[in-house]
Amino acid sequence: MLHPESHPMARQMPGAEQAMAYRTSLLDCLIAPDPRRHRRFIEELLAAAIPVRTLAVHLFTPVATALGHRWCTDEADFMQIAVASTRLSMIVNHVSHAATAAAEEADAPRRILLARTHGAQHTIGVSIVASCFRDMGWVVDGGSDLEIGEDIYTRLAEKPYDLLGISVSRVDEVRDCSEVIRRVQASPRIRRMKIALGGPAVIASPKAFHRIGADFVTRSTLDVMQLASHV
C-alpha cells in the first residue's frame, strides 16, 4: 500500500514517476496549519495532467496509508488525521470530477453503486475507488455517504448497475455483507449484477470474506482496476 511501485503492473502506469514525486508535498499540505496550501496543490496537480488512475495508485493510496500509520504510531492526533483526511477527500474528488468533465462520455457507460458498512469512520478509500472508476469511464453513484441498508435496494431497483462495491470497515460486519449478497442474489432483476468487497476489514482479514458469495474481494487500488476490466 505504501509502495505500489514494487508491483510490475503499477510501474508501467503512465505518469507513475511524476505521481510518486508528489507524495511528500501532498502529505505536507494535508497536515499544514494553512488551509490554502492544499488548494494550491490541487491547481498544481491539475496542471500536471497525470491520469487519475495513476494518481489513485501511486499518490492518493500511499498517502492515505501513511496517514493511517501516523495515527497508529501516535505521530498525529485524532483532529490532525480528521482534518488531513477531509482535505485528501476534497483533493481526490476535485481532481476526479475535473478529469471526468474534460472526458468524452461513453455511448453505453457501465454503472457502479458504491456504499459502505455502518462502522466506517474514514471513507477516503471509497473516494479513491470512485475516482478510479470515473477515470475508466464508469458512471459512479453512491459513495461514502451511502450505508448498506434499504437505500441500496431502492437504488438498485431504480437503475441497472453492473457492479455494487461495498467498503467494509470491521471484520465483525461480515454478516451484514452476507445479508446484502443474499438479498441481491435472491432478486431476479439484479442478481446478475456483480458484487465487490473491499476496505480496511477486507485488507486485514481477506479469508473472512472469500466464502460469503461476493464476486470480487479486493485488497488494493490495483485490484479494483483489474476487476473493472472483467465486469
Side-chain angles (χ1 to χ4, degrees):
M1 301 293 285
L2 275 172
H3 301 287
E5 62 272 16
S6 61
H7 193 289
M9 175 183 166
R11 285 200 302 270
Q12 296 174 10
M13 298 180 74
E17 293 291 337
Q18 267 185 293
M20 285 186 279
Y22 277 110
R23 288 178 188 170
T24 300
S25 298
L26 175 55
L27 193 56
D28 287 345
C29 80
L30 293 178
I31 61 177
D34 185 355
R36 292 172 295 183
R37 288 188 58 180
H38 84 274
R39 300 189 188 111
R40 291 195 296 267
F41 184 84
I42 289 174
E43 295 174 359
E44 184 176 349
L45 206 55
L46 289 175
I50 303 169
V52 175
R53 69 192 76 178
T54 302
L55 294 174
V57 171
H58 288 287
L59 180 61
F60 299 147
T61 299
V63 169
T65 303
L67 288 176
H69 285 184
R70 290 194 174 203
W71 165 253
C72 293
T73 57
D74 291 329
E75 294 178 70
D77 59 29
F78 175 80
M79 186 58 67
Q80 289 173 317
I81 295 299
V83 170
S85 298
T86 300
R87 290 177 178 176
L88 181 55
S89 292
M90 289 175 60
I91 292 172
V92 171
N93 290 331
H94 194 108
V95 172
S96 174
H97 285 290
T100 302
E104 294 183 2
E105 287 193 17
D107 292 333
R110 290 173 291 178
R111 307 180 71 93
I112 180 173
L113 180 64
L114 291 175
R116 61 178 176 85
T117 55
H118 305 291
Q121 296 180 346
H122 301 294
T123 56
I124 180 61
V126 180
S127 297
I128 293 174
V129 168
S131 73
C132 285
F133 277 94
R134 289 193 191 97
D135 189 50
M136 290 183 283
W138 287 58
V139 173
V140 180
D141 289 336
S144 58
D145 293 332
L146 179 61
E147 291 188 355
I148 58 174
E150 291 303 319
D151 283 350
I152 281 185
Y153 308 114
T154 300
R155 294 202 186 199
L156 292 177
E158 291 174 346
K159 297 177 184 178
Y161 288 94
D162 299 281
L163 182 64
L164 169 63
I166 302 174
S167 177
V168 191
S169 180
R170 303 193 311 258
V171 177
D172 62 5
E173 292 176 312
V174 65
R175 182 175 297 181
D176 295 335
C177 295
S178 298
E179 174 62 14
V180 173
I181 294 169
R182 185 195 66 78
R183 287 189 60 173
V184 167
Q185 293 176 341
S187 176
R189 291 186 59 189
I190 59 176
R191 64 187 177 193
R192 292 184 179 180
M193 177 189 64
K194 302 295 185 182
I195 301 175
L197 302 178
V202 177
I203 294 171
S205 303
K207 291 183 179 179
F209 296 90
H210 271 296
R211 298 180 181 179
I212 62 174
D215 298 284
F216 306 102
V217 177
T218 64
R219 298 186 63 193
S220 70
T221 309
L222 276 174
D223 286 349
V224 170
M225 292 175 56
Q226 288 177 310
L227 83 82
S229 65
H230 292 91
V231 176

